Amino acid sequence: MTELILGVLTFLTSTVAGVVGIGGGMMLIAILPSFLPLNALIPVHGLTQMSSNFSRAVFGYKDVQYEVIPKFLLGSIVGIGIFAAIINFISLEYVPLFIGAYILLSLWSQKFNDKIKKFENYYIIGFFQTGLSIIVGATGPLTMTILLKDYKDKDKVVATGAALMSITHILKVFVFMYFGFVFFDYIGIIVAMIIGAVAGSWAGTQLRDKIDGKRFTIILKVLLTALAIKVIVDVFI
């Protein structure tokens, strides 16, 4: 019964992500503590999100902007290597606060964008998104924020974001395997969630065609803003 419930919930959250490119992963990680022990939460979520994002990128492969992938990949490899090595030696309690503030300023402050433009690139985004992903659940919006600035076409934003987030989750899964997490212990749940994730990606890709570009941008900005505020509030709760 648990497998069926999680499969359905993953389908619904993956459909949301398929439509607007983000939000599904955060919804899912908020649900999982009711079904999984804490030590399995991030690894199982990471593997499921890898399936969700990769399938979304495959369904929209024609819209993926492949020129940004090598930059993001290089930053991601360096980032996850460094953060995996130092995770036990540093306090990361307030990292989500800075992520949330960056997203809000990037979305709504032209003065901030003018100043940060010279530093903002896919190497740095890859470094922080993937490096921090092993302990912070809200790094996905970093990618979507920069893609929303660089590309106006909604399909390019969602498909490219899915490809980049796939890299983040693939590397994260390898790190958890290296640290000894046994995914096979949760194989039934994982299979059900992967099926739900892929089916949701397909459904979301079909539904995205129903939204025009201007409305999509508004929806994504509002959703990113809400996620950023949630991340900031969670720091103080």
Side-chain angles (χ1 to χ4, degrees):
M1 194 64 185
T2 299
E3 286 85 350
L4 178 61
I5 293 170
L6 284 176
V8 172
L9 290 173
T10 305
F11 169 79
L12 295 173
T13 57
S14 186
T15 300
V16 170
V19 174
V20 293
I22 203 161
M26 287 194 70
M27 292 165 62
L28 186 61
I29 204 167
I31 294 167
L32 284 181
S34 301
F35 298 92
L36 293 173
L38 289 178
N39 68 307
L41 195 62
I42 295 180
V44 172
H45 177 266
L47 186 57
T48 303
Q49 288 306 107
M50 181 185 77
S51 307
S52 177
N53 283 285
F54 184 73
S55 59
R56 191 157 71 248
V58 169
F59 292 136
Y61 73 96
K62 292 181 180 178
D63 297 301
V64 175
Q65 303 305 291
Y66 294 96
E67 68 272 9
V68 307
I69 290 179
K71 304 171 187 176
F72 185 89
L73 177 59
L74 181 58
S76 294
I77 292 171
V78 175
I80 204 159
I82 290 176
F83 278 94
I86 66 174
I87 188 173
N88 293 322
F89 304 101
I90 58 174
S91 174
L92 299 167
E93 183 180 357
Y94 292 104
V95 166
L97 181 64
F98 293 105
I99 292 176
Y102 164 78
I103 293 168
L104 290 176
L105 289 169
S106 186
L107 287 174
W108 303 108
S109 173
Q110 187 57 49
K111 187 179 292 186
F112 175 81
N113 282 320
D114 292 339
K115 289 182 178 179
I116 203 170
K117 194 175 292 182
K118 63 182 76 171
F119 305 106
E120 192 177 55
N121 60 62
Y122 290 95
Y123 295 107
I124 294 174
I125 293 295
F127 177 88
F128 283 108
Q129 174 168 305
T130 304
L132 291 170
S133 70
I134 55 178
I135 33 86
V136 180
T139 57
L142 291 174
T143 291
M144 298 305 288
T145 303
I146 190 172
L147 287 172
L148 195 59
K149 296 177 190 175
D150 289 348
Y151 303 103
K152 301 307 177 188
D153 183 272
K154 66 180 186 298
D155 293 312
K156 289 181 180 179
V157 171
V158 174
T160 308
L164 299 183
M165 284 188 276
S166 296
I167 293 171
T168 291
H169 290 297
I170 288 169
L171 292 175
K172 182 165 66 176
V173 166
F174 278 126
V175 166
F176 282 116
M177 290 173 67
Y178 175 78
F179 283 128
F181 183 81
V182 183
F183 286 95
F184 193 77
D185 289 347
Y186 299 89
I187 189 65
I189 287 173
I190 287 171
V191 169
M193 292 177 71
I194 287 176
I195 291 171
V198 175
S201 290
W202 181 85
T205 301
Q206 307 308 308
L207 291 171
R208 195 188 318 136
D209 292 336
K210 312 297 182 186
I211 305 175
D212 63 68
K214 187 176 290 186
R215 186 177 300 174
F216 169 84
T217 300
I218 294 171
I219 292 171
L220 186 53
K221 274 193 167 186
V222 170
L223 185 54
L224 284 169
T225 300
L227 293 176
I229 293 171
K230 179 185 183 301
V231 165
I232 292 171
V233 170
D234 285 349
V235 172
F236 299 102
I237 293 178

